[in-house]
Amino acid sequence: MKVNCEKLPRIWLGGAHFVNDIYTGFLNPIMPFIAAKIGISMAVATVVLSLSHIFSSLLQPIFGFWADNMFKRCFIFWGLILTSCFIPLAPAAKTLNLMILFIILGSLGSSLFHPQALGLANRFAGADKAKFMGIFLGMGTLGYSLGPLLSAYVAQFWGLNKMPVLSVIGIVWAGLMFKFLPKMSDLKLLNSRYPLKSAFMAILCNRKLNILNIISMLKSLISTSCFILLPFLWKNMGYSPFLIGALLFVFIFVGAIGSIVSSKFEKLVGTANVFYFSMISTLPLMFIFVLTYKTFPVFSFAIYFLMGFVTMLAVPVTMNLAQSIMPQYKSIIGGFINGFSWGIVALIMSLNGYVAQTFGITKVLLGVSVIPALFSVFVKYLFDEKLC
């Protein structure tokens, strides 16, 4: 019975991560069709999608600081409620301004949720932190993979205006989690309050954390580029909303499998080799995809799915290594690795939409896949004892 009680918080947190990230994956497969409905270009639609990543990511370190210092569970509850209420409203919006407002409010909910959830996941992980963190991150990735499939199904068979009915999933789970997840006062945590400035300076001045942040940015650059740009490529090829959603679903689903098996793969080949494999292999895979997506589409899908697996393989390793460097800042580091890095990439993606519209989507995808391979040379410094 005791073992089961210890596992219950992990189940509630993992389930909440799954549900929250369902909504964060909603918009990508259907954005080309939303853009056509309200009359905006691919470049503008890319900026709108980038806004969702910016507001769901860049503020996570700040929310992580508050989460570490407040000792209350409110961020995970209200974050999940905001995400589940407002993201489904965006596809039903009749104007661009109203859609942007809904996206910003829903994205802020995700930004509230993630840092505290990551900090609590670390606390509840038990002895095998690498294994549970892989499962926890994998649950979020599974939810992120289901989001495109769910939204694409509703868009194609029910219509964009029916999307808000899906809010009930998140609202119900938030209510259940509020009742059953242990209160912070019951966890007997040490009072570890710290000033915002000193925490940020300590993190930003740590060279290993800087390298891990860069690695996280580069991994998210690949996945975000694929997630935002490829639906426009496939829509131009005549693919239906549901097929596009299904392709994005499998991409992120196999990425979730990569997260879940990450700890086993790390034990097999070593931490450094996980980073090298994940960062370098994307380039040849993207090259093969670009060569085959017109002539051998089914084969190109398989390559695309493999990219999802290798891209996410290093994500739990990155998070575990980062939180082990400064364990006193679990939530705020979670905000940097899982949030801030994605926000920086979102800023880049807001420009990539215009570049892709001018020079072509496949050229942009090839270009971004070169960058992680080049930066893989910095992995060796993560294991330099003299570097701090």
Side-chain angles (χ1 to χ4, degrees), residues 67-376:
D68 276 345
N69 282 272
M70 286 179 63
F71 298 103
K72 293 183 179 180
R73 308 172 300 165
C74 55
F75 285 6
I76 51 175
F77 302 128
W78 287 110
L80 181 54
I81 289 171
L82 283 172
T83 304
S84 58
C85 285
F86 286 104
I87 292 296
L89 285 172
K94 295 182 179 180
T95 66
L96 176 61
N97 290 339
L98 192 58
M99 180 177 69
I100 290 174
L101 175 63
F102 290 150
I103 287 174
I104 288 174
L105 291 174
S107 300
L108 283 173
S110 186
S111 192
L112 276 170
F113 172 84
H114 277 102
Q116 185 168 62
L118 284 162
L120 289 174
N122 187 283
R123 296 184 191 279
F124 288 125
D128 196 345
K129 292 185 182 298
K131 180 180 179 180
F132 178 65
M133 188 58 71
I135 294 172
F136 176 78
L137 292 173
M139 288 296 291
T141 308
L142 283 172
Y144 194 52
S145 71
L146 183 60
L149 193 64
L150 194 57
S151 65
Y153 178 87
V154 174
Q156 182 163 334
F157 299 106
W158 294 2
L160 293 171
N161 293 334
K162 301 295 184 181
M163 208 72 69
V165 301
L166 298 174
S167 295
V168 67
I169 303 170
I171 295 171
V172 169
W173 193 272
L176 291 170
M177 190 168 55
F178 181 80
K179 180 174 178 60
F180 294 111
L181 191 71
K183 295 180 180 179
M184 301 290 274
S185 58
D186 297 334
L187 299 180
K188 299 180 180 179
L189 301 175
L190 294 175
N191 189 324
S192 57
R193 289 182 171 88
Y194 48 81
L196 176 65
K197 182 179 178 180
S198 64
F200 271 62
M201 289 300 295
I203 291 170
L204 294 174
C205 291
N206 188 287
R207 295 179 183 178
K208 288 186 178 181
L209 284 176
N210 287 336
I211 294 173
L212 289 169
N213 267 315
I214 291 172
I215 290 173
S216 183
M217 289 178 195
L218 296 177
K219 305 307 294 177
S220 64
L221 179 62
I222 297 294
S223 58
T224 304
S225 297
C226 290
F227 224 54
I228 290 180
L229 295 178
L230 282 178
F232 288 94
L233 179 73
W234 287 326
K235 180 180 182 293
N236 293 338
M237 295 175 67
Y239 292 5
S240 69
F242 186 70
L243 178 56
I244 294 173
L247 292 172
L248 296 185
F249 162 74
V250 179
F251 175 81
I252 302 298
F253 181 82
V254 297
I257 295 174
S259 292
I260 292 171
V261 304
S262 175
S263 62
K264 292 183 179 180
F265 192 72
E266 182 183 10
K267 291 176 182 177
L268 185 65
V269 303
T271 304
N273 287 328
V274 174
F275 284 117
Y276 285 126
F277 177 71
S278 183
M279 297 177 74
I280 295 173
S281 61
T282 309
L283 177 57
L285 290 173
M286 186 68 78
F287 185 73
I288 296 170
F289 173 83
V290 169
L291 287 178
T292 59
Y293 79 96
K294 286 184 179 179
T295 53
F296 303 100
V298 175
F299 178 74
S300 74
F301 296 157
I303 297 299
Y304 171 66
F305 302 151
L306 187 57
M307 273 194 288
F309 179 85
V310 300
T311 299
M312 294 298 296
L313 191 63
V315 172
V317 179
T318 306
M319 182 65 70
N320 281 320
L321 189 55
Q323 289 184 325
S324 68
I325 292 173
M326 290 186 173
Q328 69 272 34
Y329 301 135
K330 289 181 175 67
S331 294
I332 194 170
I333 287 176
F336 270 101
I337 298 296
N338 193 62
F340 185 79
S341 59
W342 286 75
I344 296 298
V345 169
L347 290 172
I348 297 171
M349 285 305 303
S350 64
L351 299 175
N352 268 358
Y354 287 93
V355 176
Q357 187 167 287
T358 303
F359 297 101
I361 292 172
T362 55
K363 290 181 180 177
V364 170
L365 291 175
L366 279 173
V368 299
S369 65
V370 171
I371 304 172
L374 293 176
F375 273 82
S376 64

